[in-house]
Amino acid sequence: MKRFVARFVVYVLCFVVFVGGIGFYGFKRHQKDFYLNVRHEPVPSLQGVNVPKYDAHKPTVAVVMADSSIPTEDFDFLIPYTLFSMTDAYNVYAVAPDKNIKSLSGGLDVVPHYSYKELDQLLGKSPDIVVVPFMPIVDEKKYQPTREWIQKHSNEKTTFLSICGGSQNLADASLLKGKSAASHWQAIPGLKIQYSDTHWVEDLRYVQEGNVLTTAGQSAGIDGVLHLIAKQLGEPMAAKISKEINYPSYHFVQNPKVNDPFYMDIKFATYWLNLGFHWNKKQMGVLLYKGMDELALSSIFDSYGDTGTTQISTIANSDAPIATKHHLNIVARHQISNAPKLDKMIIPGSPAKSLAEADIKRWSEKGNAKETLLIHSDSPNRFVFEAPLEDLAKQEDVITAKHAVKRFEYHENGIHLEGKPFPLETYGGILLTVLLALLTAFCIDRRFIMKKTIFKSYNKSVN
């Protein structure tokens, strides 16, 4: 009986150490590559960075970014920034505790327009709308200025809009006590435990109570922004913006009820296995260029970056800040002249061929990638997230892409996924790890337990 217990303990410990340890290492590596991917490269000169002109006759939208050591979720930031800017009816600013470069998840670096203090001085009052993306609270001391600024402006005259997991940041600031709220389906189980004084809703794309509007995951943030635009500027403006971005789910703007909300399933298990056991990540570059569309840029980071399969690097022709279509200032981490070797270079945006003609030419001469893909150029009338998700299925596999679609909370039928049925590399990785754990346990068993048993049996026979 003792030998059985000893063997059981050895096999379990080997399984935990090898499978658990390697999986945990893979998870931490993914966190570093995506959610905690901050800039370590030297900061270039930020002289000449332009800030959109302030118009006192327009309401002001402040889109929040946290401290430099805490990347803000890229979709949650870029989507509301873009949609509000497209109306031309708001002052839209990126704001942060200071004006140093801030990172978005996946490794996109942004120069804030104003610090919190500067914006307060400019306006002389609270912003009309404060957009709160998901900002992981990793360091309490460094996050504290963001929490305090949100709380400072928590009055009835300011509308708070959280995107996806940003509802956690509103709950943290005590703005959701006693209210109903939406969030990403993956986050809700934990939020119900951590913030039990909030009623977390799972079958609505957005929830508005008073001056607080919360949205569910990813694409539901588009619904929430368009809903707010419809309320403030009229439904025709919201419909116009939806049409311009070829958004296929405008019906959710008019009615946020979801008949088939997302829950955990087998695709979520594959997502976690990819994080832990997909060892050979694809190295992907994203070419940044002047005038590029922020939605198209976001579609790359969100489709590929948070899958555990792909690491993204930003690349541009120079290290100078680049102004996007709606005057957001972004900075690449690599230049074409010193870009790392890549498996794939993505050039996002349907007008990329004309807007980035010179940059594309230079990349073709100096760049180093197995494949260069102008991913939106051949489908200008499609929603920008569809082509990247389809390409993800071809690059990796259908199950990985299906989870990416689900993570995006996409409920339409416009995406057609073709590729390998499941992630062979990931499943092969975990199988190899399990076999290594079993082999190690067997060797320990044979060397120490079985040998000891044989030795005892021999002594008995001699005596």
Side-chain angles (χ1 to χ4, degrees), residues 209-259:
E209 285 205 14
N211 66 324
V212 178
L213 174 62
T214 57
T215 77
Q218 304 293 84
S219 64
I222 297 174
D223 303 333
V225 175
L226 293 178
H227 165 74
L228 191 54
I229 288 173
K231 285 190 65 176
Q232 295 192 350
L233 305 180
E235 198 275 336
M237 175 62 81
K240 174 177 176 290
I241 299 300
S242 177
K243 186 176 181 181
E244 287 179 3
I245 65 171
N246 301 298
Y247 184 51
S249 299
Y250 188 70
H251 55 95
F252 284 128
V253 178
Q254 300 167 316
N255 179 10
K257 177 73 174 179
V258 179
N259 295 322

Side-chain angles (χ1 to χ4, degrees), residues 316-332:
N317 199 21
S318 75
D319 64 355
I322 296 168
T324 65
K325 184 176 181 179
H326 299 102
H327 314 295
L328 188 67
N329 297 296
I330 56 179
V331 183

